[in-house]
Amino acid sequence: MILSQNPYSGETLKEHKEFTSNDIDNALKKASSAFKFWRNETFSKRSQLMLKAAEELEENKKEYARTITLEMGKPITQSLAEIEKCAWVCRYYAETAEEHLAPEEIATDAGRSYVNYAPMGVVLAIMPWNYPFWQVFRFAAPALMAGNVGLLKHASNTMMCGEKIEQVFKRAGIPEGGFQNLIIGSKKVEEVLRDERVKAVTLTGSGPAGSAVAETAGKLIKKSVLELGGSNALVIFEDANLEESVGTCVQARFQNTGQSCIAGKRLLLHKDIADKFTELFLKKVKELKAGDPLDEETYIGVQAREDLAKDLEEQVKRSVEMGAKLLTGGDRKKAFFAPAVLGRVTKEMPVFKEETFGPAIGITIFNKDEEAVDLINVTKFGLGVSLFTSSHERAEKLIPSIEDGAVFVNELVKSDPRLPFGGTKESGYGRELSRFGIREFVNIQTIYFK
């Protein structure tokens, strides 16, 4: 039995009976059958149904947002924003998929030659709890519009969200079997992935989970896309607009109670502005309202599980023991962790070199641009970085030396359906969103007529 529990109240919301091997086989039969029909459906028809999915999300966003908040503790206003973003990605691919996947004529010595994009088949999506709707929809919208069908293995603590997502697509009119939520734990993932009817897999989650899935997919020679952890740097140069930078950095670190792979997790400050920035930053952090995630004024809720808060508490504690200074916060009560800011952080400390998945951030000082780049790149992660400077020329000069998959200037790192999203190093491989994302799960065919 898999339990859905409210991390704020501790209440058990629902018990889910886990699929048996026979249930999994039936789901795969439905998916394979749906693919035979769906792959030949017109872009026009797929677009109509994807637009209906967007309408369903918008019309019932309060229902879906409440499920997110109850099940994993996201503040309700942020849950509503997540549902609205899901509708956006559905509309984006409904409007652009045909263009992204249009055959591309290539001039050769053939009578005619071109590149064709054909769907692959059944794609397994292994998704996390922190953005339990958005992470799924940024996979599902392009995958379905490309003519694939989807199987969702959601995080065990957000199975209600998985059921609601399947409901969205059913209400939109996606054919039976076109998108199914599998009620399984992590131990049954390999069984699904090894089935010959599954052609590819995408995973958003932890490094160990990604490594295990990639290993299995590699042995089976199946396509995989991984979006894993991150330890994004927020880099404030001496010429930055401090007031604006502070507001953006607070949001980058503390939205979703700090539980985001693309959150700004390391604050790198130029020595000339370090004291002033820290003063402004601490003031903003202390003003963040914590409380019941269902309260519209709450910005900091609880973490999704108590063990996650304990892990963060331990990272902060070990960093302080190594010489970091706790400037504010750091208290824990069950799944709640008071937003913490640490000063005097060095690159050997846990809050710098490890991923901190919650409301805590460390401050590290640098003197020169080259030193800032070294601090950005020294981590094993490579998801994204934010540079704050009044000089675009300076940013342009530094960007080629930065190893991350995304660089945002005077803005927090965020995903946008129109732009590719993904990382380097232990942050994963492959890309989601934009034309690059929809082409991850297609057969890129060379067509040649003599």
Side-chain angles (χ1 to χ4, degrees), residues 408-424:
F408 280 65
V409 180
N410 298 323
E411 181 59 286
L412 54 84
V413 176
K414 55 187 177 181
S415 53
D416 182 316
R418 299 162 294 188
L419 294 169
F421 180 85
T424 62

Side-chain angles (χ1 to χ4, degrees), residues 94-161:
E95 295 166 359
T96 63
E98 185 170 10
E99 177 186 351
H100 289 330
L101 299 179
E104 296 181 31
E105 298 285 339
I106 306 291
T108 67
D109 56 356
R112 184 191 179 200
S113 52
Y114 63 95
V115 177
N116 189 54
Y117 299 99
M120 295 180 72
V122 180
V123 183
L124 172 63
I126 303 165
M127 293 290 136
W129 49 262
N130 59 328
Y131 285 87
F133 269 65
W134 169 246
Q135 307 278 21
V136 177
F137 274 89
R138 77 180 188 191
F139 150 74
L144 291 173
M145 284 302 302
N148 297 302
V149 297
L151 293 175
L152 171 63
K153 187 282 173 201
H154 219 321
S156 294
N157 61 324
T158 51
M159 281 293 169
M160 287 170 58
C161 289

Side-chain angles (χ1 to χ4, degrees), residues 36-81:
K36 291 175 183 178
F37 163 78
W38 187 247
R39 70 182 303 172
N40 294 315
E41 190 57 274
T42 64
F43 277 108
S44 177
K45 181 62 176 179
R46 291 180 205 156
S47 177
Q48 290 176 20
L49 299 182
M50 194 58 64
L51 289 173
K52 287 183 179 178
E55 291 171 3
E56 167 63 22
L57 287 164
E58 290 167 340
E59 290 173 2
N60 296 292
K61 64 181 179 181
K62 290 184 178 180
E63 170 193 344
Y64 297 127
R66 183 176 174 82
T67 301
I68 293 173
T69 296
L70 289 175
E71 199 168 28
M72 57 74 61
K74 189 191 301 286
I76 189 64
T77 56
Q78 297 172 36
S79 295
L80 286 164

Side-chain angles (χ1 to χ4, degrees), residues 124 126 189-190 193-195 198-203 209-226 429:
L124 172 63
I126 303 165
V189 167
E190 186 169 343
L193 184 52
R194 284 189 174 278
D195 194 287
V198 174
K199 304 304 180 184
V201 61
T202 180
L203 177 144
S211 180
V213 166
E215 181 180 8
T216 301
K219 288 178 180 178
L220 299 168
I221 320 297
K222 292 186 179 183
K223 176 67 181 288
S224 62
V225 169
L226 302 180
Y429 53 75

Side-chain angles (χ1 to χ4, degrees), residues 382-395:
L383 199 51
V385 59
S386 293
L387 308 178
F388 295 87
T389 174
S390 61
S391 171
H392 284 195
E393 182 180 355
R394 180 188 216 168

Side-chain angles (χ1 to χ4, degrees), residues 272-375:
D272 290 350
I273 51 86
D275 289 344
K276 181 61 176 177
F277 185 95
T278 300
E279 177 187 346
L280 295 171
F281 188 77
L282 286 171
K283 183 176 183 294
K284 285 279 189 182
V285 171
K286 292 174 181 178
E287 291 172 352
L288 296 175
K289 186 179 186 304
D292 186 345
L294 286 172
D295 184 339
E296 292 185 358
E297 294 185 3
T298 295
Y299 193 86
I300 298 291
V302 290
Q303 294 196 245
R305 301 190 310 266
E306 185 175 349
D307 63 294
L308 298 168
K310 288 181 178 179
D311 289 344
L312 184 62
E313 181 181 39
E314 179 62 23
Q315 288 173 309
V316 169
K317 180 181 177 181
R318 286 188 285 127
S319 297
V320 170
E321 290 173 350
M322 293 175 68
K325 182 179 180 181
L326 186 61
L327 302 176
T328 189
D331 299 322
R332 182 184 68 82
K333 184 177 181 181
K334 295 185 178 179
F336 173 77
F337 189 87
V341 180
L342 294 87
R344 299 199 304 238
V345 170
T346 64
K347 60 185 178 182
E348 295 80 19
M349 296 176 181
V351 294
F352 186 99
K353 70 178 185 178
E354 299 175 8
E355 181 176 25
T356 50
F357 217 71
I361 191 167
I363 297 173
T364 303
I365 309 299
F366 68 90
N367 295 307
K368 298 181 180 180
D369 289 8
E370 295 76 14
E371 184 183 357
V373 171
D374 288 342
L375 289 169

